[in-house]
Amino acid sequence: MNKIDKTSSTPFYKQLRLILQDYILLGDWNPGYLLPTEQDLCDTYGISRITARKALDDLAQAGFIERIQGKGSIVKDRRKNAIPQVQGFNESTNSSGRKARTELISKELVYGLSDINKILELDENEPLWSYRRLGYVNEVPAVLMNHYVSKKLGDKMNEYDLRGKSFFSMYEKILKSPIASLENVVVAVNASAEMAKILGIAEHSAQMWFRGIAYLEGDIPVEVNNSIFRADYYEFKTTLFRPRREEVGQI
């Protein structure tokens, strides 16, 4: 059982919401499941009734549960009206008439990435699963991808053969909900020696650094993806830009 960290600066209601949210997303509680009552949550996690109510209200507002007077809180089936709105590397490349293929280079449990933990709404000390993949377009290496997800989600992903798989499809399969939106940043960078070797490009050549944050419906962050795209294979379109405030680190 996950516990409320009474020493954390994260509000108790938010910690409880994330705990209950994980039970739903990771398949422990399926559609139709009746959640513990507010009093049961108070007794289990050592919190106030107000805290329990706020956590349940937030879950209801995000579309995870339905609160029915006289019956309780029930997990909703988020797939009924779900329509995929965004595409990952494989889907977008194949839909453009080109052939996509991905190769899993490495996977490891990493620590100390507090900036990514913050984006994913995780405790700063919680480990993350990191997956490095190489994406091919018509058998030419075109993008070097680094995916970061929570340990709980990564543990579920590791039960599958990840070679050549669409990660967005994998998230939908595990979490029972498609990726609803992406928040992206694209910055020009010079290719390092490592990038040049992997992608088959000239060292110090101008390429595109990409950070994508993938969200489920309800603005639930699932993945942070830091990638290098070959500038001769990809273009990005946007309607909004702003000056860069920080230096962008290399992969």
Side-chain angles (χ1 to χ4, degrees):
M1 181 193 73
N2 293 299
K3 297 181 179 180
I4 300 293
D5 183 357
K6 301 295 180 69
T7 65
S8 173
S9 60
T10 302
F12 294 168
Y13 81 86
K14 187 172 183 180
Q15 291 188 53
L16 179 60
R17 189 203 80 196
L18 294 174
I19 290 171
L20 303 181
Q21 179 178 294
D22 278 345
Y23 281 129
I24 297 170
L25 287 177
L26 298 177
D28 296 300
W29 295 347
N30 293 310
Y33 180 87
L34 182 64
L35 272 69
T37 66
E38 290 180 5
Q39 188 58 54
D40 287 338
L41 292 174
C42 293
D43 295 340
T44 300
Y45 294 101
I47 55 174
S48 69
R49 195 72 174 261
I50 294 175
T51 298
R53 184 176 300 120
K54 172 62 174 170
L56 292 172
D57 286 344
D58 278 10
L59 283 175
Q61 186 173 2
F64 284 98
I65 64 174
E66 182 179 6
R67 307 201 69 188
I68 303 174
Q69 188 172 4
K71 187 172 184 180
S73 301
I74 298 175
V75 177
K76 294 178 64 175
D77 188 346
R78 293 160 55 84
R79 293 172 291 177
K80 286 183 177 179
N81 300 314
I83 301 175
Q85 297 181 22
V86 296
Q87 295 180 322
F89 168 77
N90 289 333
E91 297 90 344
S92 62
T93 301
N94 290 330
S95 66
S96 70
R98 296 175 293 178
K99 182 181 178 181
R101 178 172 72 85
T102 55
E103 174 184 312
L104 182 64
I105 298 175
S106 65
K107 64 177 182 180
E108 61 176 330
L109 205 57
V110 296
Y111 298 79
L113 301 181
S114 57
D115 60 328
I116 294 179
N117 282 48
K118 184 176 181 180
I119 293 171
L120 293 176
E121 298 184 346
L122 302 172
D123 185 86
E124 63 178 10
N125 298 317
E126 186 171 337
L128 303 169
W129 274 106
S130 169
Y131 302 91
R132 173 171 278 202
R133 298 196 299 166
L134 183 59
Y136 293 81
V137 175
N138 294 336
E139 295 304 318
V140 176
V143 54
L144 178 61
M145 297 175 277
N146 280 311
H147 308 264
Y148 299 95
V149 301
S150 70
K151 183 180 183 300
K152 292 178 183 177
L153 176 55
D155 287 346
K156 292 281 188 178
M157 292 171 61
N158 293 339
E159 297 175 5
Y160 299 87
D161 181 358
L162 300 177
R163 293 173 296 180
K165 292 292 192 298
S166 162
F167 274 26
F168 278 13
S169 296
M170 180 71 63
Y171 301 149
E172 179 175 357
K173 182 176 183 178
I174 294 172
L175 303 175
K176 309 298 188 297
S177 182
I179 298 299
S181 63
L182 287 174
E183 180 181 312
N184 301 328
V185 175
V186 181
V187 179
V189 296
N190 293 324
S192 67
E194 181 189 14
M195 295 174 197
K197 181 178 180 180
I198 294 175
L199 293 174
I201 54 180
E203 188 175 350
H204 305 305
S205 60
Q207 305 301 326
M208 292 183 291
W209 179 89
F210 167 94
R211 165 169 283 187
I213 306 171
Y215 295 88
L216 301 181
E217 182 183 357
D219 294 330
I220 307 301
V222 172
E223 175 205 78
V224 176
N225 174 11
N226 292 341
S227 299
I228 294 293
F229 283 81
R230 282 182 55 160
D232 55 343
Y233 269 75
Y234 278 89
E235 66 177 11
F236 291 87
K237 296 180 180 180
T238 183
T239 56
L240 174 67
F241 70 92
R242 62 182 179 184
R244 181 178 61 176
R245 292 185 179 180
E246 299 177 353
E247 292 296 322
V248 176
Q250 295 182 339
I251 291 177

